[in-house]
């Protein structure tokens, strides 16, 4: 659900709540003169309030399923395990940041075609490195079109200063510049059917003095992408 839609839904709920509150107060004040007509109107307002509230909940979770305590605990354990792998990646590769991007749908257009979006769901950084997870939520995949396209073809995308600029899209280059990223190494995450569901990446800052060891990075990404993919499959 988009933030503007959330705000709109909450605003509508607030208005409904105020209206219901006014009618409740009026009901208590004029209980003796309470007519059947106002009673029907009050019931209608309550039904509208309930429908709006349920609509908002379903927007957050379209299948209507609420996590059980066991499912919630399981999801938390998977998140912690992913974070542990990301920490190991920083130690092993000497990267400044490691993160997981997961693909998802983000609503539909007028032709009922879903928007392709992605979000960073897990991130680890070195001390003093500003996290980017908060900024990178519900982003159109087109913002990293070159990276996503290369991952679709090869299963990985390694962006370095000596890589020809025409191989990567300008939006990704600007995205890296804005965040002071000089090197970015990404590898696909896959589900049980080998379908790409996201990526795991390590980045190195512009002020890094030492050139990244790509052999170590490649081995680390291959290992951790398989392990994180297996964890994500457990959520289904």
């Amino acid at each position: 659900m988009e933030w503007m839609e959330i705000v709109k839904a909450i605003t509508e709920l607030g208005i409904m709540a105020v209206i219901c509150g006014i009618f409740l107060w009026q009901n208590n004040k004029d209980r003796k003169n309470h007519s059947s007509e106002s009673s029907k109107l009050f019931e209608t307002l309550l039904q509208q309030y309930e429908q709006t509230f349920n609509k908002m909940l379903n927007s957050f979770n379209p299948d209507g399923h609420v996590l059980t305590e066991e499912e919630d605990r399981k999801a938390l354990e998977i998140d912690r395990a992913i974070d542990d792998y990301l920490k190991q990646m920083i130690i092993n590769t000497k990267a400044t940041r490691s993160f997981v991007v997961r693909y998802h749908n983000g609503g539909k257009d007028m032709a009922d075609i879903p928007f392709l979006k992605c979000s960073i769901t897990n991130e680890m950084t070195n001390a003093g490195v500003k996290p980017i997870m908060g900024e990178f939520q519900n982003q159109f995949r087109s913002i990293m079109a070159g990276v996503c396209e290369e991952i679709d073809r090869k299963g990985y995308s390694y962006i370095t200063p000596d890589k020809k600029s025409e191989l990567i899209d300008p939006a990704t280059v600007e995205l890296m510049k804005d965040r002071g990223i000089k090197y970015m190494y990404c590898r696909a995450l896959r589900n049980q059917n080998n379908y790409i569901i996201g990526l795991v990446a390590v980045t190195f800052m512009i002020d890094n003095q030492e050139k990244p060891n790509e052999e170590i990075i490649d081995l680390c990404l291959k290992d951790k992408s398989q392990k994180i993919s297996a964890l994500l499959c457990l959520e289904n």
Side-chain angles (χ1 to χ4, degrees):
M1 190 183 201
E2 297 296 331
W3 282 111
M4 288 302 296
E5 292 174 334
I6 295 172
V7 171
K8 182 181 177 183
I10 292 173
T11 303
E12 289 174 355
L13 285 177
I15 292 170
M16 281 292 188
V18 170
I19 293 172
C20 288
I22 292 171
F23 270 84
L24 278 171
W25 174 76
Q26 188 67 34
N27 250 9
N28 291 330
K29 185 180 177 183
D30 301 325
R31 190 174 296 172
K32 291 181 180 179
N33 300 322
H34 194 278
S35 68
S36 59
E37 186 176 340
S38 63
S39 178
K40 288 178 182 178
L41 180 58
F42 180 68
E43 287 296 325
T44 301
L45 284 170
L46 283 179
Q47 288 173 8
Q48 290 177 353
Y49 176 81
E50 184 179 359
Q51 288 169 2
T52 306
F53 183 72
N54 289 334
K55 185 178 180 181
M56 187 182 76
L57 288 180
N58 289 335
S59 297
F60 284 110
N61 194 1
D63 62 5
H65 177 65
V66 178
L67 289 179
T68 64
E69 185 178 348
E70 183 181 351
E71 288 171 331
D72 187 66
R73 191 185 308 113
K74 179 182 175 184
L76 186 60
E77 288 172 357
I78 289 171
D79 253 1
R80 286 173 178 166
I82 291 173
D83 287 345
D84 285 341
Y85 285 139
L86 293 180
K87 289 176 187 175
Q88 292 172 28
M89 291 172 69
I90 288 179
I91 294 170
N92 294 342
T93 65
K94 299 182 181 179
T96 50
R97 174 186 290 109
S98 59
F99 58 90
V100 166
V101 173
R102 295 170 73 174
Y103 296 165
H104 57 85
N105 289 334
K108 296 181 179 181
D109 64 14
M110 297 291 285
D112 206 33
I113 299 173
F115 296 120
L116 301 178
K117 289 193 174 184
C118 58
S119 298
I120 292 180
T121 58
N122 302 76
E123 180 185 22
M124 288 291 153
T125 65
N126 279 338
V129 177
K130 183 182 177 182
I132 60 174
M133 183 166 69
E135 306 169 32
F136 204 92
Q137 297 298 311
N138 295 309
Q139 297 290 322
F140 288 105
R141 277 188 236 172
S142 55
I143 201 171
M144 295 177 65
V147 173
C148 293
E149 190 273 334
E150 189 170 27
I151 287 176
D152 283 343
R153 285 190 294 106
K154 298 161 49 178
Y156 65 91
S157 177
Y158 294 171
I159 305 171
T160 62
D162 56 352
K163 187 170 185 176
K164 292 181 180 179
S165 59
E166 64 266 18
L167 295 179
I168 212 69
D169 59 286
T172 301
V173 173
E174 289 303 312
L175 194 69
M176 292 174 65
K177 281 183 181 178
D178 289 345
R179 289 158 178 79
I181 298 170
K182 188 174 184 179
Y183 302 84
M184 183 164 70
Y185 300 88
C186 313
R187 188 164 280 274
L189 297 173
R190 301 175 183 272
N191 64 8
Q192 302 96 319
N193 300 318
N194 208 37
Y195 184 77
I196 296 175
I197 56 173
L199 60 93
V200 60
V202 291
T203 65
F204 297 80
M205 305 299 282
I206 288 173
D207 56 0
N208 267 68
Q209 300 299 317
E210 188 178 344
K211 186 177 180 180
N213 187 321
E214 293 195 353
E215 185 178 350
I216 291 175
I217 292 169
D218 189 57
L219 289 172
C220 183
L221 280 174
K222 284 178 179 176
D223 175 56
K224 297 301 186 288
S225 63
Q226 290 178 359
K227 290 176 177 176
I228 292 173
S229 292
L231 285 171
L232 294 178
C233 289
L234 291 175
E235 288 188 334
N236 300 326

